């Protein structure tokens, strides 16, 4: 019997020592600044769930209310997180979403791509130290997916800006003393 009361959020690969897969995982981890392979496996499992569900809905011939509801919810999710445009409104386009698109929607990657942080590792540190806010809400989750309507509200928190200014003054004074 399965006594688990929760659903899985990640899955290990079947062959853990496949060289090509391991090399590709390391490249992706370094490119997007992920903490470990488990974070990558979570995103891969999530993407697989979306694709599996959209394929199941696309194969259904009968046009029942439940199928239409699932189709619209999948398309709305992809539109909400800017994975699909308004012009690409079919489930076939959901099957074309790749791992890089989903990883670019993470808050950590979004900070790097928007220029708030210079590197993905710096972005991760800023997020974990609670220096980033979305709207008026401070967040410390680097893996959070940024919604389309929240893109323009992502910024450094006010306390960070004050702290950053005082830190710059301190660095200027310490460089003068060292000369």
């Amino acid at each position: 019997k399965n006594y688990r009361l929760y659903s899985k959020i990640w899955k290990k690969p079947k062959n853990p020592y496949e060289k090509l897969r391991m090399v590709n995982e390391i490249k992706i981890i370094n490119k997007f600044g992920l903490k470990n392979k488990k974070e990558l496996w979570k995103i891969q499992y999530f993407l697989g769930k979306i694709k599996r569900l959209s394929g199941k809905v696309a194969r259904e011939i009968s046009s029942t209310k439940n199928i239409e509801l699932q189709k619209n919810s999948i398309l709305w999710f992809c539109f909400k997180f800017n994975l699909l445009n308004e012009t690409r409104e079919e489930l076939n386009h959901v099957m074309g979403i790749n791992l890089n698109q989903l990883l670019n929607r993470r808050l950590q990657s979004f900070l790097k791509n928007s220029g708030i942080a210079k590197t993905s590792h710096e972005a991760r540190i800023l997020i974990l130290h609670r220096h980033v806010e979305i709207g008026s809400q401070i967040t410390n989750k680097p893996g959070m997916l940024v919604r389309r309507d929240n893109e323009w509200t992502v910024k450094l928190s006010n306390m960070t800006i004050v702290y950053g200014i005082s830190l710059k003054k301190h660095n200027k004074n310490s460089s003068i003393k060292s000369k």
Side-chain angles (χ1 to χ4, degrees):
K1 274 190 161 182
N2 186 4
Y3 295 103
R4 186 170 18 137
L5 297 176
Y6 55 89
S7 61
K8 288 186 86 163
I9 59 171
W10 66 280
K11 188 172 80 173
K12 288 192 298 190
K14 289 182 181 178
N15 184 0
Y17 301 110
E18 185 181 350
K19 184 166 179 139
L20 183 62
R21 183 193 45 77
M22 287 174 61
V23 169
N24 288 335
E25 283 177 349
I26 295 295
K27 286 179 184 176
I28 292 172
I29 287 171
N30 288 335
K31 180 179 178 185
F32 291 101
L34 302 176
K35 178 181 167 187
N36 51 27
K37 289 186 179 182
K38 187 175 175 181
E39 276 192 355
L40 178 63
W41 295 338
K42 280 182 186 179
I43 296 287
Q44 286 175 336
Y45 189 73
F46 180 67
L47 182 62
K49 275 177 134 176
I50 293 171
K51 287 185 175 185
R52 197 174 319 118
L53 185 60
S54 65
K56 180 181 171 185
V57 170
R59 284 189 298 273
E60 288 291 327
I61 298 170
S62 62
S63 176
T64 62
K65 246 185 184 177
N66 190 22
I67 297 297
E68 287 298 318
L69 182 66
Q70 285 181 340
K71 177 184 174 185
N72 290 336
S73 63
I74 292 169
L75 289 173
W76 176 246
F77 172 82
C78 293
F79 176 74
K80 181 171 58 173
F81 288 103
N82 208 10
L83 298 171
L84 291 179
N85 300 333
E86 294 124 3
T87 58
R88 302 174 68 194
E89 294 180 354
E90 295 181 17
L91 284 177
N92 299 336
H93 297 297
V94 175
M95 301 298 279
I97 296 172
N98 60 14
L99 185 64
N100 287 337
Q101 287 176 308
L102 201 55
L103 285 170
N104 278 326
R105 296 308 302 169
R106 296 177 81 235
L107 181 59
Q108 181 179 353
S109 301
F110 188 79
L111 286 178
K112 180 186 170 224
N113 295 339
S114 65
I116 295 174
K118 292 178 184 172
T119 64
S120 55
H121 298 291
E122 181 185 0
R124 186 175 190 91
I125 295 299
L126 285 172
I127 296 166
L128 290 175
H129 290 192
R130 301 175 57 91
H131 294 303
V132 176
E133 62 183 36
I134 299 176
S136 61
Q137 185 76 34
I138 292 177
T139 183
N140 63 345
K141 305 286 186 228
M144 183 182 127
L145 294 177
V146 179
R147 291 182 175 197
R148 177 188 298 242
D149 54 345
N150 288 339
E151 287 179 358
W152 61 276
T153 62
V154 175
K155 61 182 179 183
L156 292 176
S157 67
N158 293 336
M159 293 306 293
T160 304
I161 294 171
V162 171
Y163 178 72
I165 292 170
S166 64
L167 184 65
K168 287 179 184 176
K169 287 180 183 177
H170 176 72
N171 286 342
K172 285 180 183 178
N173 292 337
S174 63
S175 65
I176 294 171
K177 289 178 185 177
S178 64
K179 289 181 181 179

